[in-house]
Amino acid sequence: MVTMQQIADACGVSRGTVDRALHNKPGIRPSVAAQIRDKAREMGYISARLMPAETKKWKIGVVLHSGGSSFVRTLAAKLEHLPDSDVLPVEIVIRTMEGADIQHQLALIDELVEFERIDGLALMPLANSQIREKINQLSEKNGIPVVTLNTDISDANRIAYIGPDNIASGRSAAALMALVTRENGHILPVIGQRSGHYADSQRLTGFLSEMSEHYPELKILQPECCFLDDRLSERITARAIEADDKLTGIYITSVGRHGVARALRQSGQQGKIHVI
């Protein structure tokens, strides 16, 4: 299997230069990029993947986890209805999965690569070193560019990340919570998953950091996990309301808002306990 480093050695350039040429990144002269792509074809690293768009319909694979969430269902529906035209000559092949099983995500990626013969991958990655290694393998050995969506593995060899800054999101939520509660009372964080999801852990990290640094008067309760289950988030909220008469805010990092809202309505605390 030909690697980027072998192409770099053959061309007398760095591996980073090869990566920029193959993935159309800035910072390389067009003539040098063309020479590198020619060498990559010659060595068998790529073939049809670099054909001009007007002569080839590109097949893009998409792998999304937490398929039961409303956000993922909406995202999948939008991707399924992308236009197929001269401007965007692509075929979208979507695979969704429930929960956050690492081996399941790896199997879906392999299926798209080996059987669907995808030209590129849009991935909502789970938080695991095996997923990082898979992204690197696709990019470096298979010549398949990877874009991460919504969650990211920043040190993986993906060409781009599309999504929010989750640390900043958590910090913003903390500042808003301090504002609406007037820096008074107890705050309960409710997370969607304990592991496998970078967004949950990063948002919680940002939230706790901002609270500790700027709003020490607010007491942050032990975070509770609803495991992507709205019924569990409802019970968690009901217990917290009953146990703590100083509860003034609930911070939800991802899933669980419907259950939290039901518990607040049933307890008569809607509008009294702030939810972000």
Side-chain angles (χ1 to χ4, degrees), residues 90-151:
V90 298
E91 176 184 352
I92 307 295
V93 183
I94 301 176
R95 297 288 183 268
T96 59
M97 53 180 285
E98 300 297 329
D101 183 83
I102 303 299
Q103 297 306 315
H104 190 181
Q105 183 161 89
L106 289 169
L108 292 178
I109 294 171
D110 286 341
E111 178 197 348
L112 290 173
V113 172
E114 295 170 13
F115 297 103
E116 295 291 346
R117 308 285 295 175
I118 58 172
D119 299 290
L121 176 67
L123 173 67
M124 187 185 292
L126 293 169
N128 187 271
S129 61
Q130 293 183 68
I131 302 297
R132 178 189 298 105
E133 291 167 6
K134 177 61 70 174
I135 293 173
N136 292 342
Q137 174 195 324
L138 293 177
S139 175
E140 297 169 14
K141 295 184 179 180
N142 298 84
I144 297 176
V146 179
V147 171
T148 53
L149 301 172
N150 191 51
T151 57

